[in-house]
Amino acid sequence: MTITNKSKAVLNILWILAAAAFYWTSIPYSEARTFDPIGPHVFPQIMSGVIILCSLGNLLVIYRHSKTGTDTPETFHPGDALRMLLVLVVSGLYIWLMPAAGYLVATIFLIFLLIAVQGEVGLRVNILVSCGFALVLYLLFSKVLHILLPHGFLEFI
Amino acid sequence: MEFLQNIALGSSVVFTFKGLASIIAGVVAGTIGGAIPGINATMTMAILLPFTWGMDPTAAILMYVGIYCGGQYGGSIPSVLIGTPGTPSSAATVMDGYPLHLQGKTGLALGMSLYASVFGGIVSSVALMIFAIPLAKVALAFGPPEYFALALLGLTLVASLSTDVFKGLIAAALGLLLATIGLDPFAGIVRFGFGSEHLIEGFEIIPFYMGIFALSQVLYIIFKKIRREVVEYRITSKYPSTLDFIRCLPSMLMGSAIGMFVGAMPGAGASIACWLGYNEAKRWSRHPEEFGKGALEGVAAPEATNNAVTGGAMVPLLSLGIPGSGSTAVMLGVLIIHGLRPGPMLFVTNPEIPYSIFVSLFVSNVIMIFVALMLIKLLIKVVNIPETIMNACILAIIFVGAYSVNNSMFDIFTVLLFGVLGLIMKIYDYPITATALGFVLGYLVETNFRRSLTLSKGDWSVFMTNPISMVIIILSILSVAYAVYCNHFRRKRGAAE
Amino acid sequence: MKKRHLLVLLVLAVSLACAGALSAAENYPAKPVVLVYHSQAGSGGDIFLRNMGKAIEKIIGQPIIVENRTGGGGSNAWMYSKNAKPDGYTLLGISSSVIAGPLQTKMAVSYADFKPVAQVFFDPTVIFVPAKSPFKTFDDVIKDARANPGKQNWGAGNPGSAETMCIEKVAQMADMKITVVPFEGGADVMVEIIAGRIDAAIGEYAEIASQVEAGNIRIIACLNTERMEEAPDVPTLKESGVDFVFEKIRGIVAPKDVPDSVVKVWTDSLAKIYDDPEFKKYYRENMLVPRFVPAEKMQKVMDDQHAFFKEMGKGLY
């Protein structure tokens, strides 16, 4: 698969939308009582303006390139993109799992799933690494750096 | 006299068990990180941020100086051994380092890269002192308009030097915009907080760096399926002799000078500097035809250059508090999370910090020799851990590190958010460094902008009536204009011809 | 027979448990006490608590642990202490920001959620000008400000900070029109004052003391009730004709439901810390002025400050 001009254009439209959202949100800030003559809304609005202008510039360039065909698209494999998305899903799952299951259990799951999703490593090595590294991190952060990690249902550790 | 006293003060911090241990830890971590293709010094720094939590600020910054030096050197190891640069800054080393390895002169190439790195690093540590201290004295007189202009110049240079100036400007403005989230510095309101108590102080700097520098890169490695060969560390020939060293001395000196200069420029960085160093060494060589086929100078020049960048890049960081690269931006973050803001005042209020950095840059390079000669076989074992396991472990470290900032899940979410943002920027070739710099400099830029206008009672000409800020602002406008011309108008003419 | 045994056992167990509960209050503290603080390890307030903790350890015979819960503009630490078990083993170290912070941003916590234990110190706040400034007394400043309305630049902290509010209050009371320029912290204000880019500022004495000694900065008034021991020549603002006093609180509070017996243990021990030689050296070096306000009077001190912040913050929040 390739990274198409269409997706580049979509990204630039997203920048414009995001910048416009910031601009719009900052409009009521001009009401706030402030110690400077310009107020809290001006700086974010200038930045939003820069983003919008440059995105329009980009769109123009993309349009011109699509006409002349001087673009060299970058390629990638859908399988790798899927793997990457799964890594993100597993990471999101981790945020949800950690408060309930506790740090140690959640992290063992995290590392195990991350390795499993990427493939290429055997089950035995995977279990060894995930349990071992999670334990090392737990001991390091909880016992050495004294961070209060969530216990979850394992109250005793 | 005052200088010597301060150097003594810096040395008294560095030459303690804690100081030296921090530097050694940094050099080791940096060398490993640098030697893994796909991981660079900046990413190593981002991953290790949570460990600075329990350290005092001097120990933390000494460790980061060590990482910076080690990272620049470590990149050359895979360049020589597998022909893949460990970091973009040692890409030029591949040109002659890999042919030397194929010719069986591995020891010669690895030895020379070590000596040149140490040489460049030491030269730049001396040069750092020569430039940073007077510059800080000058900067003490800078007011809000000058600071605004300087930070603006830094950001526009980074944007202009990226592949496309529009993308660079979007990235920089995005960073500045993200920095405005949270309590407004001049009015008592929370901007873009959406009622969330997590956003009262804006996004935390540690999860931001971890997301945009580290997570995005891990995702990118998986996305592009970047695979590396196993690095086999075997010395098959003798190390370089004194004669070899002397023969390479001119190229190393030239490389060091280039590295210093380019490093001090915002936005350029080691990945550009190493090619400049390589090309200049080739141009001035008496036998340029040997370059690319295993010329020892072809290893010495880029390696001296990329390590000399460290000293150069720290000049604006220490004397002005304005970093110009990803690595120095993370170092700024380390100081900020410990409640210190680099800049000319740091030389007055906490002289032990800048002076211990001067001393430690020198010491790091000396320590690098011992680490490289004694521990390298052990370190290469870490480098050869399969990328699948490495990626998973890095993510686990990042997440627990982000959590430990505030004991809050929100910071893990922040990592994910900026990891995805960084990934998109990488895929579409936007400069992440510009966003990171915008984020870390955002407060400085905005407050000095608004403070200038407050002092001038709302008169916008304040930036132009002040001669220093006028010159700097004109320079930054020119840099953008020139980049727009180069990126979009010259190319059109070239295509038409 | 067996039943009776069981009954005896039961009574024994109940009485033991009661005795345990009783002695828990009597033998307080039986384990280390945690002091929560809202800024990071190594910050001024954190170092203060750690030093004070060392002095208290000797009096109450249990270790004091300072736990830093940063983030959320302080609300992380304050929410945590508010919801902590009210057994007296989790207390909160406060500065005036626990009163000002929740006013500035909407938080589910305020200073009223805590039971006062004692105020122990205050940070002297002073009005200062560049050494080469023509202003010698606060009267000069007022005259100049009235003659050139809006021209005088005053360096302040964040909009919600005590310094900024004090400047506004002083300007209001002295009937002068000035420009307030916010800065991130005292160090930045100090640089601008030394460079002469701003005309006057209000800040903590401890932050500028070294520059006063070096002859770069001149103090023209302090906001305390009486003159400072270290700088006896500096008049109070009251003496200069403006009837305004502000003293930044440093103290300890507890979750609302902590038993009074525990509060008493702490109030009594806090009263004794000033003579500890090491601690004395620390607080003198850091220009902290002892001001012991026991629990029953501290509530009024906090209420007064709250009223001041609320009044000055109108329209700002």
Side-chain angles (χ1 to χ4, degrees):
Chain A
M1 279 171 94
T2 56
I3 291 162
T4 57
N5 268 332
K6 204 186 267 174
S7 76
K8 286 182 192 168
V10 167
L11 180 65
N12 279 293
I13 290 166
L14 282 178
W15 291 142
I16 293 176
L17 288 178
F22 268 94
Y23 192 103
W24 188 73
T25 315
S26 72
I27 290 172
Y29 298 159
S30 59
E31 311 274 311
R33 190 184 137 206
T34 179
F35 287 101
D36 65 325
I38 60 167
H41 56 295
V42 173
F43 187 78
Q45 289 179 355
I46 296 176
M47 289 307 122
S48 307
V50 170
I51 294 179
I52 291 173
L53 275 181
C54 290
S55 301
L56 289 174
N58 270 340
L59 284 173
L60 206 71
V61 173
I62 294 166
Y63 177 74
R64 215 167 59 186
H65 279 192
S66 70
K67 284 272 163 123
T68 52
T70 50
D71 206 27
T72 45
E74 229 180 305
T75 57
F76 65 95
H77 295 286
D80 297 325
L82 183 71
R83 262 190 279 278
M84 186 204 72
L85 280 181
L86 282 174
V87 166
L88 274 177
V89 169
V90 171
S91 307
L93 213 63
Y94 181 61
I95 296 186
W96 172 77
L97 187 69
M98 188 155 68
Y103 178 76
L104 195 55
V105 175
T107 307
I108 291 174
F109 265 100
L110 172 81
I111 302 177
F112 179 83
L113 286 176
L114 284 177
I115 294 177
V117 160
Q118 294 179 72
E120 292 181 19
V121 171
L123 188 67
R124 193 137 37 108
V125 177
N126 190 348
I127 291 173
L128 211 69
V129 169
S130 50
C131 293
F133 198 67
L135 195 67
V136 167
L137 279 186
Y138 172 76
L139 292 176
L140 189 62
F141 276 83
S142 156
K143 305 295 172 207
V144 181
L145 296 174
H146 300 291
I147 306 293
L148 304 161
L149 298 167
H151 296 301
F153 54 83
L154 297 170
E155 272 285 349
F156 55 92
I157 48 173
Chain B
M1 201 50 226
E2 192 199 347
F3 172 76
L4 288 179
Q5 267 173 4
N6 280 325
I7 287 292
L9 177 69
S11 309
S12 71
V13 174
V14 173
F15 292 105
T16 55
F17 174 73
K18 202 161 71 175
L20 289 174
S22 312
I23 297 179
I24 293 172
V27 171
V28 167
T31 309
I32 294 175
I36 300 174
I39 296 179
N40 56 23
T42 314
M43 184 175 165
T44 315
M45 287 178 173
I47 295 169
L48 295 179
L49 277 172
F51 298 98
T52 66
W53 213 232
M55 292 178 156
D56 61 53
T58 42
I61 199 70
L62 293 189
M63 181 168 103
Y64 272 66
V65 173
I67 299 177
Y68 201 9
C69 293
Q72 299 296 357
Y73 159 69
S76 68
I77 298 170
S79 296
V80 171
L81 292 173
I82 57 175
T84 307
T87 59
S89 58
S90 30
T93 313
V94 176
M95 297 295 290
D96 284 282
Y98 193 51
L100 276 170
H101 168 65
L102 295 180
Q103 289 160 22
K105 295 175 188 162
T106 317
L108 206 58
L110 284 173
M112 199 64 228
S113 87
L114 173 63
Y115 295 159
S117 294
V118 172
F119 182 86
I122 286 176
V123 168
S124 84
S125 72
V126 176
L128 169 63
M129 278 186 270
I130 295 173
F131 290 111
I133 298 169
L135 190 56
K137 287 230 167 75
V138 173
L140 214 46
F142 285 2
E146 286 95 336
Y147 266 107
F148 166 71
L150 271 174
L152 189 73
L153 178 67
L155 288 169
T156 49
L157 277 178
V158 173
S160 315
L161 284 166
S162 57
T163 49
D164 182 313
V165 62
F166 287 149
K167 291 180 179 177
L169 285 177
I170 292 176
L174 192 65
L176 289 171
L177 202 50
L178 289 171
T180 63
I181 296 173
L183 263 178
D184 184 279
F186 283 72
I189 56 163
V190 176
R191 289 185 291 182
F192 312 112
F194 307 106
S196 160
E197 64 186 274
H198 298 295
L199 287 177
I200 289 176
E201 287 179 349
F203 287 109
E204 289 278 353
I205 204 158
I206 292 184
F208 174 82
Y209 277 153
M210 290 180 147
I212 205 143
F213 281 131
L215 178 62
S216 70
Q217 180 66 16
V218 171
L219 293 174
Y220 192 70
I221 289 173
I222 300 168
F223 177 71
K224 295 291 272 186
K225 204 173 179 121
I226 297 171
R227 289 282 178 269
R228 53 175 191 267
E229 294 165 55
V230 171
V231 179
E232 223 177 304
Y233 195 91
R234 253 190 336 200
I235 300 294
T236 49
S237 75
K238 60 180 178 35
Y239 264 62
S241 61
T242 321
L243 200 70
D244 291 324
F245 187 80
I246 293 171
R247 197 157 59 87
C248 292
L249 205 57
S251 8
M252 285 196 280
L253 270 173
M254 189 150 53
S256 308
I258 293 171
M260 260 310 286
F261 181 75
V262 177
M265 287 261 297
S271 41
I272 296 175
C274 70
W275 286 107
L276 289 175
Y278 181 82
N279 289 338
E280 290 310 303
K282 187 174 171 183
R283 189 202 314 231
W284 294 97
S285 168
R286 261 171 289 172
H287 42 85
E289 70 284 353
E290 279 178 28
F291 276 73
K293 294 175 195 138
L296 207 49
E297 291 97 324
V299 174
E303 280 306 308
T305 311
N306 67 27
N307 269 70
V309 163
T310 54
M314 278 194 257
V315 171
L317 171 71
L318 290 177
S319 53
L320 305 173
I322 299 174
S325 67
S327 302
T328 42
V330 181
M331 291 170 97
L332 175 63
V334 170
L335 289 171
I336 288 178
I337 57 177
H338 282 99
L340 296 161
R341 207 166 243 288
M345 262 324 272
L346 201 62
F347 284 81
V348 181
T349 55
N350 299 68
E352 76 279 5
I353 302 271
Y355 283 91
S356 67
I357 292 176
F358 295 152
V359 176
S360 70
L361 187 58
F362 186 87
V363 172
S364 297
N365 280 291
V366 177
I367 285 178
M368 210 155 73
I369 303 180
F370 295 104
V371 169
L373 294 180
M374 297 193 304
L375 297 175
I376 198 70
K377 290 214 164 142
L378 205 69
L379 301 188
I380 293 298
K381 286 212 168 69
V382 181
V383 174
N384 283 333
I385 292 172
E387 42 277 272
T388 310
I389 292 176
M390 184 77 87
N391 290 342
C393 292
I394 289 176
L395 288 193
I397 296 178
I398 296 174
F399 290 154
V400 66
Y403 177 84
S404 63
V405 174
N406 282 330
N407 293 333
S408 129
M409 294 311 253
F410 180 78
D411 290 318
I412 301 187
F413 172 75
T414 309
V415 172
L416 280 177
L417 183 72
F418 290 112
V420 172
L421 178 72
L423 174 75
I424 292 171
M425 292 176 66
K426 266 182 207 293
I427 292 174
Y428 289 95
D429 206 15
Y430 285 76
I432 282 179
T433 311
T435 307
L437 283 178
F439 184 77
V440 76
L441 289 179
Y443 182 85
L444 190 82
V445 174
E446 185 181 5
T447 52
N448 280 304
F449 176 64
R450 291 168 70 179
R451 207 169 282 143
S452 309
L453 287 169
T454 311
L455 286 169
S456 76
K457 321 289 174 210
D459 181 2
W460 287 67
S461 68
V462 60
F463 301 108
M464 287 300 161
T465 47
N466 176 320
I468 299 176
S469 79
M470 180 184 73
V471 171
I472 299 172
I473 287 179
I474 290 178
L475 274 180
S476 46
I477 293 172
L478 283 180
S479 78
V480 171
Y482 182 69
V484 171
Y485 169 74
C486 286
N487 288 164
H488 298 294
F489 292 94
R490 207 166 56 178
R491 195 193 296 157
K492 197 169 89 179
R493 205 178 55 190
E497 272 163 11
Chain C
M1 186 64 183
K2 253 189 180 164
K3 260 186 191 163
R4 213 170 57 192
H5 269 286
L6 211 68
L7 202 72
V8 168
L9 233 88
L10 204 72
V11 168
L12 212 69
V14 168
S15 57
L16 258 173
C18 287
L22 258 176
S23 65
E26 264 169 27
N27 299 339
Y28 178 86
K31 60 178 188 184
V33 181
V34 174
L35 281 181
V36 181
Y37 196 62
H38 65 271
S39 74
Q40 69 222 11
S43 61
D46 168 76
I47 294 172
F48 163 71
L49 276 187
R50 283 173 201 271
N51 275 295
M52 194 179 79
K54 272 185 211 141
I56 296 224
E57 275 173 7
K58 293 175 199 159
I59 298 166
I60 63 169
Q62 283 292 342
I64 304 291
I65 301 158
V66 176
E67 193 178 305
N68 309 82
R69 287 190 169 256
T70 53
S75 75
N76 282 359
W78 302 329
M79 284 297 288
Y80 175 81
S81 333
K82 178 189 168 186
N83 298 327
K85 214 165 156 191
D87 54 3
Y89 292 102
T90 309
L91 302 175
L92 178 69
I94 61 152
S95 64
S96 287
S97 57
V98 75
I99 303 168
L103 272 172
Q104 185 165 13
T105 51
K106 283 184 197 74
M107 289 183 192
V109 61
S110 91
Y111 82 102
D113 293 322
F114 299 100
K115 192 178 234 179
V117 174
Q119 177 187 346
V120 273
F121 285 91
F122 76 87
D123 285 293
T125 310
V126 294
I127 300 179
F128 54 97
V129 295
K132 46 185 184 286
S133 161
F135 307 142
K136 299 274 186 264
T137 63
F138 191 65
D139 218 36
D140 299 342
V141 178
I142 298 178
K143 275 187 196 130
D144 179 77
R146 285 185 187 152
N148 310 297
K151 286 268 162 57
Q152 244 181 46
N153 293 319
W154 281 62
N158 297 320
S161 70
E163 285 85 1
T164 312
M165 299 196 176
C166 287
I167 290 179
E168 290 213 290
K169 181 78 181 175
V170 169
Q172 192 185 323
M173 292 180 79
D175 189 28
M176 40 188 213
K177 278 218 158 34
I178 52 168
T179 303
V180 180
V181 190
F183 285 88
E184 188 179 17
D188 293 342
V189 177
M190 190 171 83
V191 177
E192 296 297 303
I193 281 280
I194 295 171
R197 276 185 291 264
I198 49 180
D199 303 302
I202 291 186
E204 280 178 24
Y205 177 55
E207 280 184 322
I208 58 158
S210 62
Q211 293 298 325
V212 175
E213 256 169 58
N216 294 326
I217 287 179
R218 180 167 58 238
I219 304 178
I220 54 172
C222 63
L223 273 57
N224 316 334
T225 37
E226 63 261 358
R227 293 189 178 206
M228 288 179 292
E229 226 174 277
E230 291 88 357
D233 302 334
V234 176
T236 64
L237 200 56
K238 211 169 175 174
E239 293 170 56
S240 313
V242 179
D243 190 9
F244 175 65
V245 169
F246 181 81
E247 291 177 345
K248 261 191 180 174
I249 300 175
R250 297 249 183 142
I252 303 285
V253 295
K256 201 86 204 166
D257 297 323
V258 163
D260 288 331
S261 59
V262 168
V263 172
K264 192 168 163 14
V265 169
W266 268 85
T267 316
D268 291 350
S269 357
L270 283 170
K272 293 179 206 150
I273 55 173
Y274 301 105
D275 294 330
D276 185 279
E278 271 170 59
F279 186 53
K280 195 167 194 164
K281 186 165 169 283
Y282 163 79
Y283 71 71
R284 288 193 163 242
E285 273 172 14
N286 287 278
M287 318 287 172
L288 289 164
V289 181
R291 168 64 46 87
F292 188 74
V293 182
E296 55 275 16
K297 287 185 187 148
M298 190 185 178
Q299 188 69 45
K300 186 177 176 323
V301 173
M302 292 201 294
D303 287 342
D304 288 349
Q305 229 170 62
H306 182 256
F308 164 64
F309 283 138
K310 202 162 181 181
E311 181 206 338
M312 295 317 297
K314 253 180 212 149
L316 194 59
Y317 303 138

